[in-house]
Amino acid sequence: MAAPRESVSLLFKLYCLAVMTLMAAAYTIALRYTRTSDKELYFSTTAVCITEVIKLLLSVGILAKETGSLDRFKASLRENVLRSPKELMKLSVPSLVYAVQNNMAFLALSNLDAAVYQVTYQLKIPCTALCTVLMLNRTLSKLQWISVFMLCGGVTLVQWKPAQATKIVFLQVLEASIRLLWLSTQTTS
């Protein structure tokens, strides 16, 4: 028997979308500023490493809270980490790829304009859609495919004519296609 489906209000979804959008924009702008300032640069690998350590500590803290006691926490770590080396290896591959991706983001933002970087970074969405279809054998609706192609078209056009006026127009097209993609995922899930 399937578990009952929880309903999430539209207001909460819009709140989450707004927060995620603001975080992504602030991250890109702050990273670009720190990588192009005249001050002494920090090592990008150190920043990525510190970020990953913070995420590890937060994850361990959440696990400790969920298990409720120190004994169950230790047992969970022992069972899921020490006694499952194969699962640990499976998790290490995406982790290493993610670390490389974060280091490449620092490199890209050191050399690209923030707007060009942000638009190009959105190409992860079509790549994810393609991998979902090819590797997970899932199907995308017609609306989702239109959104993916609009996104690719917007990215191509922004790169093709990088004048500021065209950037604004195509960023709006890009934003609309991302909204369409988000809406289509909400209707299918």
Side-chain angles (χ1 to χ4, degrees):
M1 183 172 180
R5 188 174 159 155
E6 294 181 27
S7 64
V8 179
S9 71
L10 179 63
L11 184 61
F12 182 71
K13 289 179 182 179
L14 291 174
Y15 168 75
C16 290
L17 180 63
V19 168
M20 298 283 284
T21 303
L22 288 173
M23 282 177 42
Y27 172 79
T28 302
I29 292 168
L31 197 57
R32 170 75 178 157
Y33 174 75
T34 61
R35 296 307 291 174
T36 58
S37 67
D38 292 335
K39 298 177 184 170
E40 188 175 333
L41 287 180
Y42 55 89
F43 291 116
S44 61
T45 52
T46 304
V48 171
C49 185
I50 289 172
T51 303
E52 295 304 317
V53 167
I54 290 170
K55 285 195 269 185
L56 175 67
L57 293 174
L58 287 172
S59 299
V60 168
I62 291 169
L63 179 64
K65 186 176 185 315
E66 283 184 0
T67 53
S69 74
L70 185 59
D71 290 335
R72 283 189 284 188
F73 172 70
K74 287 179 185 177
S76 178
L77 280 179
R78 203 174 306 115
E79 181 67 30
N80 296 314
V81 177
L82 299 176
R83 292 187 183 154
S84 301
K86 193 173 183 181
E87 294 299 316
L88 193 61
M89 288 303 292
K90 287 180 186 177
L91 288 175
S92 67
V93 173
S95 299
L96 290 173
V97 171
Y98 188 66
V100 170
Q101 176 195 359
N102 284 338
N103 280 302
M104 297 303 283
F106 275 89
L107 181 66
L109 272 169
S110 299
N111 297 305
L112 292 174
D113 182 53
V116 172
Y117 166 80
Q118 190 67 4
V119 169
T120 307
Y121 187 69
Q122 296 308 316
L123 285 175
K124 68 182 177 183
I125 295 172
C127 290
T128 303
L130 196 60
C131 287
T132 299
V133 169
L134 295 176
M135 299 169 119
L136 301 177
N137 295 324
R138 292 195 55 196
T139 58
L140 297 180
S141 69
K142 190 183 286 189
L143 182 61
Q144 289 172 322
W145 279 116
I146 290 170
S147 301
V148 167
F149 286 121
M150 280 181 64
L151 181 65
C152 291
V155 169
T156 303
L157 290 172
V158 167
Q159 297 296 329
W160 192 7
K161 290 270 189 187
Q164 190 62 28
T166 57
K167 273 187 186 177
I168 292 170
V169 170
F170 292 117
L171 283 174
Q172 291 170 346
V173 169
L174 183 66
E175 180 184 345
S177 64
I178 291 172
R179 260 193 245 131
L180 255 175
L181 188 61
W182 182 75
L183 286 172
S184 66
T185 59
Q186 298 307 309
T187 57
T188 59
S189 59

